Amino acid sequence: MEKNFLTPEETAKVLIEVSRKKSKMSVVNMILLGIFAGIYIGLGAQGSITVMQTLRNIDTGLMRFMGAVVFPVGLMMVVLCGAELFTGNNLMVIGLLDKKISFKDLLRNWFAVYFANFIGSVLLAIIMVKSGILNSKMIETAIGIASGKMSLSYSQAILRGTLCNFLVVVAVWMSTAARDVVSKIFSCLFPIMLFVLSGYEHSIANMYFIPLAKFLGFSVSWWEIFLKNLLPVTLGNLIGGAIMVPFVYYYCYINENRKNDFKTA
């Protein structure tokens, strides 16, 4: 009988192979799939705004919870439909540690995908504003979210970014271990719901939230968006997603197992 999930060791090996394939992808494909990922995450973010604005004056806790439940749809689309997300691709470090990809190939993927995620996120923000679908409550909610993000100190943004991408790559890890669509959906739902509910910071989501507010009248420059939020949040995302999870799991499930196999032999 076929298992409906992979063990952590099996998952690590699959992700090493996934990293190798991602590193060999053409830049054109990285950019196209990266734009799609930016749009997917932005759609999840917009869904979250839509839900929260209806509960804005009713109950703050319920508002945050419902927004957190809707937001993970973005990662579900990335995982199931196939797209390149910078924060998820932080797990490619496990392929670097196993010497299946080079540092140059890793950076090539990250820079292309990060840039493409930004294009997709901003493009969706422009479309949403031009569509006329945003009512006054949505606009207030969007500006309120962006204002809160821009008011974070550098250290707060880094720490919240670290916690966020720790959970994002755990969600990707879990969805890789899952063998069926329903399991993959739930693997994305709970970790991402937790990071949104807790108020952590995701660089790609912020590429949608803050530019959307800017287009709606929030006073902030592109330089401020990058320097005061995207830069520290991205650094935090790298700490949580490219260092903490892949290093620990590679050491525990690949490196240590190889040592044990060698001793046994």
Side-chain angles (χ1 to χ4, degrees), residues 165-191:
N165 214 33
F166 180 90
L167 287 170
V168 171
V169 297
V170 164
V172 173
W173 186 285
M174 289 168 61
S175 67
T176 303
R179 299 285 84 188
D180 61 87
V181 172
V182 174
S183 297
K184 288 180 181 293
I185 287 173
F186 278 101
S187 295
C188 294
L189 174 62
F190 290 107

Side-chain angles (χ1 to χ4, degrees), residues 143 146 209-222 225:
I143 292 177
F209 280 125
I210 305 177
L212 176 67
K214 175 179 173 60
F215 298 145
L216 292 172
F218 180 55
S219 181
V220 64
S221 68
W222 288 108
I225 292 173

Side-chain angles (χ1 to χ4, degrees), residues 3-226:
K3 294 190 303 181
N4 58 3
F5 66 93
L6 300 179
T7 66
E9 182 181 357
E10 290 170 336
T11 304
K13 290 178 180 178
V14 169
L15 284 168
I16 288 171
E17 178 60 19
V18 169
S19 300
R20 188 191 66 79
K21 290 180 178 179
K22 285 179 178 289
S23 71
K24 301 305 179 185
M25 188 181 295
S26 70
V27 173
V28 171
N29 283 3
M30 288 181 194
I31 290 175
L32 290 174
L33 294 175
I35 290 173
F36 264 38
I39 292 173
Y40 290 156
I41 297 301
L43 288 170
Q46 180 56 46
S48 185
I49 289 173
T50 303
V51 170
M52 288 194 294
Q53 60 91 21
T54 63
L55 300 167
R56 187 177 177 86
N57 299 319
I58 299 174
D59 185 277
T60 302
L62 181 60
M63 178 189 76
R64 289 174 64 93
F65 176 74
M66 293 307 298
V69 169
V70 173
F71 185 88
V73 174
L75 184 63
M76 293 175 196
M77 290 189 286
V78 169
V79 169
L80 295 173
C81 299
E84 292 294 300
L85 180 65
F86 167 76
T87 47
N89 284 8
N90 283 180
L91 267 180
M92 289 176 65
V93 168
I94 199 168
L96 179 68
L97 294 173
D98 205 51
K99 299 180 181 179
K100 293 296 189 297
I101 67 173
S102 68
F103 189 62
K104 178 181 178 181
D105 286 338
L106 178 69
L107 291 182
R108 171 175 167 269
N109 180 278
W110 282 358
F111 278 112
V113 170
Y114 189 87
F115 173 71
N117 289 168
F118 181 80
I119 293 175
S121 300
V122 173
L123 177 62
L124 179 64
I126 293 171
I127 292 172
M128 290 304 302
V129 172
K130 297 294 185 181
S131 72
I133 202 170
L134 302 173
N135 60 37
S136 59
K137 288 185 178 180
M138 289 182 187
I139 294 172
E140 289 176 13
T141 302
I143 292 177
I145 291 171
S147 178
K149 291 180 178 297
M150 291 302 300
S151 67
L152 296 175
S153 69
Y154 221 75
S155 61
Q156 287 174 332
I158 290 174
L159 291 173
R160 294 187 190 192
T162 300
L163 293 170
C164 169
N165 214 33
F166 180 90
L167 287 170
V168 171
V169 297
V170 164
V172 173
W173 186 285
M174 289 168 61
S175 67
T176 303
R179 299 285 84 188
D180 61 87
V181 172
V182 174
S183 297
K184 288 180 181 293
I185 287 173
F186 278 101
S187 295
C188 294
L189 174 62
F190 290 107
I192 305 305
M193 180 180 72
L194 183 59
F195 106 61
V196 177
L197 188 60
S198 300
Y200 304 149
E201 293 291 308
H202 188 258
S203 56
I204 311 306
N206 289 2
M207 290 176 182
Y208 178 77
F209 280 125
I210 305 177
L212 176 67
K214 175 179 173 60
F215 298 145
L216 292 172
F218 180 55
S219 181
V220 64
S221 68
W222 288 108
W223 176 247
E224 287 175 323
I225 292 173
F226 176 76

